[in-house]
């Protein structure tokens, strides 16, 4: 039996948090590709179902691979407990559905992931759950929007795709003052750059599909936070079935071993690309959290270790210029994903947000010429050269 590892650093926890080894003493965690687990006798089975004994029963509830992945994320976020989901959206939906009751009210940031926004506006109202939205720079409005039935404050920072920053400490203080649960989608930052629980978040959600996998291979999601809340989310999820597959959990747990080094390089490349864009004549403005020109720069440097890998910028010339720019790219990919080793460029106004009325689109900072770049791990000179030659063709 190996001595208990006393290491406390993020990078070490990401690599050394592991399941007990099997009789083969394998170094890398094996893949437990099994739907169920067996019992020695009826009494063991009874005790397991009665939760008198902590053990795996069925992979919809828990599986060794998903447990290892969840434990790593808990250590990274400073959380007590967690549950892993098939996608980021199943994490968002299950977390909200487990905690909210008919008649409850949610205060949500306006600038959130598109499907999360649709969940609040289109689906949660079916169960009589209403949402009021606030602007990223309008936290002063919160006092006016809070209702006796408000239960949850929901936000992302940095936001997708506008890369706005919300003051997590202010949100945490407000939630505490009003006895609300603060739920933060921490996908863009990853726990390596920002740990919302330090600022008062009760629950932290990730789409593990993005930087956690970081290589564009699998879908996954995870929610971590206070043990009593996770218990509610777990009971909901073990019955409704959004569980992460053991295979994807195995991939994701392996990916977390390199999260810190990957994200360091993503951020280094991103600031280099952001500085290049900021100096380009065909670019109206650039938003990147660690550029001094970012409107919430002071908040970003207070709550994040580095600026992340997403840049928003506006090419001059509107929708057509945005599309011309995308058409001229030869190295960067046009794809809906983000947080990949490969640099990905999107034009939200003509794609993900094209169905939004112009007024609503502009309200969340998505102008006609807005381009979102998810900076990858290619050599920064190659990324910049590609952007430069494409900007020359708008
Ligand atoms: C992608 C994304 C999600 C949804 O994750 P999926 O894994 O695609 O379901 C949620 N929040 C943010 C901020 C995202 O970028």
């Amino acid at each position: 039996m190996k001595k208990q590892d006393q290491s406390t650093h993020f990078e070490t926890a990401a690599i050394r948090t592991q399941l007990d080894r099997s009789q083969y003493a394998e170094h890398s965690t094996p893949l437990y590709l099994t739907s169920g687990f067996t019992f020695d006798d009826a009494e063991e089975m009874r005790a397991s179902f009665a939760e008198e004994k902590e053990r795996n029963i069925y992979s919809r509830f828990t599986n060794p691979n998903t447990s290892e992945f969840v434990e790593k994320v808990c250590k990274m976020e400073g959380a007590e407990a967690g549950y892993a989901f098939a996608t980021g959206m199943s994490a968002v939906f299950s977390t909200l559905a487990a905690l909210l009751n008919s008649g409850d009210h949610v205060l949500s940031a306006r600038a959130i992931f598109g499907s999360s926004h649709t969940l609040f506006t289109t689906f949660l109202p079916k169960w009589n759950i209403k949402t009021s939205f606030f602007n990223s720079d309008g936290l002063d409005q919160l006092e006016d929007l809070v209702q006796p039935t408000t239960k949850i404050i929901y936000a992302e920072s940095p936001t997708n795709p506008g890369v706005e920053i919300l003051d997590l400490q202010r949100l945490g203080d407000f939630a505490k003052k009003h006895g609300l649960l603060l739920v933060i989608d921490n996908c863009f930052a990853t726990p390596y750059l920002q740990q919302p629980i330090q600022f008062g978040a009760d629950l932290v959600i990730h789409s593990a599909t993005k930087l956690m996998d970081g290589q564009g291979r699998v879908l996954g999601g995870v929610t971590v936070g206070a043990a009593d809340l996770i218990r509610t989310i777990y009971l909901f999820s073990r019955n409704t079935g959004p569980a992460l597959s053991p295979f994807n959990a195995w991939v994701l747990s392996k990916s977390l071993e390199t999260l810190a080094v990957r994200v360091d390089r993503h951020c280094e490349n991103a600031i280099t690309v952001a500085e290049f864009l900021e100096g380009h004549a065909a670019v109206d403005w650039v938003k990147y959290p660690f550029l001094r020109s970012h409107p919430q720069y002071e908040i970003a440097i207070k709550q994040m270790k580095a600026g992340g890998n997403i840049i928003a910028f506006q090419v001059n010339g509107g929708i057509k210029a945005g599309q011309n720019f995308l058409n001229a790219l030869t190295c960067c990919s046009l794809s809906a994903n983000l947080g990949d080793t490969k640099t990905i460029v999107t034009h939200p106004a003509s794609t993900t947000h094209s169905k939004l009325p112009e007024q609503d689109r502009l309200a969340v900072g998505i102008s006609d010429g807005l381009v979102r770049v998810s900076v990858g791990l290619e050599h920064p000179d190659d990324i910049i050269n590609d952007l430069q030659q494409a900007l020359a063709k708008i």
Side-chain angles (χ1 to χ4, degrees), residues 58-334:
Y58 187 58
S59 288
R60 167 150 49 80
F61 308 174
T62 60
N63 169 282
N65 291 117
T66 51
S67 297
E68 182 184 274
F69 167 63
V70 167
E71 197 183 330
K72 281 188 185 180
V73 179
C74 285
K75 284 192 183 167
M76 291 173 157
E77 289 285 6
E80 291 171 355
Y83 186 82
F85 298 89
T87 63
M89 278 323 298
S90 55
V92 173
F93 174 69
S94 304
T95 300
L96 295 170
L99 297 173
L100 292 167
N101 294 314
S102 173
D104 284 344
H105 173 253
V106 178
L107 268 176
S108 172
R110 197 179 304 280
I112 52 170
F113 187 66
S115 295
S116 304
H117 196 270
T118 304
L119 182 61
F120 285 125
T121 54
T122 308
F123 297 108
L124 292 184
K126 290 187 357 159
W127 298 290
N128 191 28
I129 295 163
K130 295 197 176 66
T131 303
S132 303
F133 293 99
F134 58 92
N135 292 334
S136 306
D137 60 356
L139 301 195
D140 296 335
Q141 306 165 348
L142 287 175
E143 292 285 353
D144 298 330
L145 292 173
V146 70
Q147 299 177 11
T149 51
T150 308
K151 185 152 180 198
I152 283 177
I153 307 189
Y154 185 91
E156 290 170 20
S157 183
T159 64
N160 182 8
V163 203
E164 295 170 355
I165 300 291
L166 281 88
D167 189 331
L168 295 181
Q169 188 65 59
R170 271 190 75 183
L171 287 176
D173 293 347
F174 182 84
K176 195 165 175 200
K177 179 178 164 202
H178 291 273
L180 311 174
L181 297 176
L182 177 61
V183 180
I184 298 292
D185 180 338
N186 200 29
C187 173
F188 271 33
T190 79
Y192 180 60
L193 300 180
Q194 166 178 288
Q195 292 147 358
I197 290 172
Q198 284 184 0
F199 303 104
D202 298 284
L203 291 167
V204 176
I205 299 179
H206 284 280
S207 164
T209 314
K210 313 295 170 56
L211 285 164
M212 281 193 172
D213 172 37
Q215 288 144 91
R217 300 169 295 189
V218 298
L219 297 169
V222 61
T223 301
V224 299
D228 57 333
L229 300 173
I230 293 295
R231 171 84 186 148
T232 305
I233 295 164
Y234 165 71
L235 290 176
F236 177 84
S237 304
R238 85 176 237 175
N239 287 292
T240 53
L244 179 65
S245 84
F247 178 77
N248 286 3
W250 179 84
V251 171
L252 289 168
S253 184
K254 235 18 208 165
S255 303
L256 289 182
E257 294 183 15
T258 56
L259 183 74
V261 286
R262 285 186 288 105
V263 172
D264 272 339
R265 182 63 73 85
H266 273 292
C267 294
E268 242 175 71
N269 283 359
I271 189 123
T272 308
V273 171
E275 283 167 355
F276 156 76
L277 289 168
E278 198 162 46
H280 198 288
V283 173
D284 287 337
W285 51 258
V286 181
K287 248 194 201 171
Y288 180 71
F290 270 46
L291 280 183
R292 280 186 182 280
S293 56
H294 192 291
Q296 293 103 23
Y297 170 75
E298 294 297 334
I299 302 168
I301 57 168
K302 206 177 68 186
Q303 65 194 27
M304 295 175 79
K305 186 183 162 103
N309 82 316
I310 310 290
I311 304 170
F313 70 97
Q314 170 154 285
V315 291
N316 39 52
I319 292 224
K320 196 76 201 122
Q323 289 181 308
N324 288 345
F325 170 72
L326 260 68
N327 287 337
L329 292 166
T330 56
C331 172
C332 301
S333 314
L334 312 188

Side-chain angles (χ1 to χ4, degrees), residues 15 21 26 31 308:
I15 292 168
R21 290 298 170 243
E26 61 283 333
L31 174 56

Side-chain angles (χ1 to χ4, degrees), residues 110 353 355-366 368:
R110 197 179 304 280
H353 293 74
K355 291 196 178 63
L356 230 69
E358 188 179 353
Q359 212 175 321
D360 296 359
R361 188 157 58 72
L362 295 176
V364 290
I366 302 168
D368 291 350

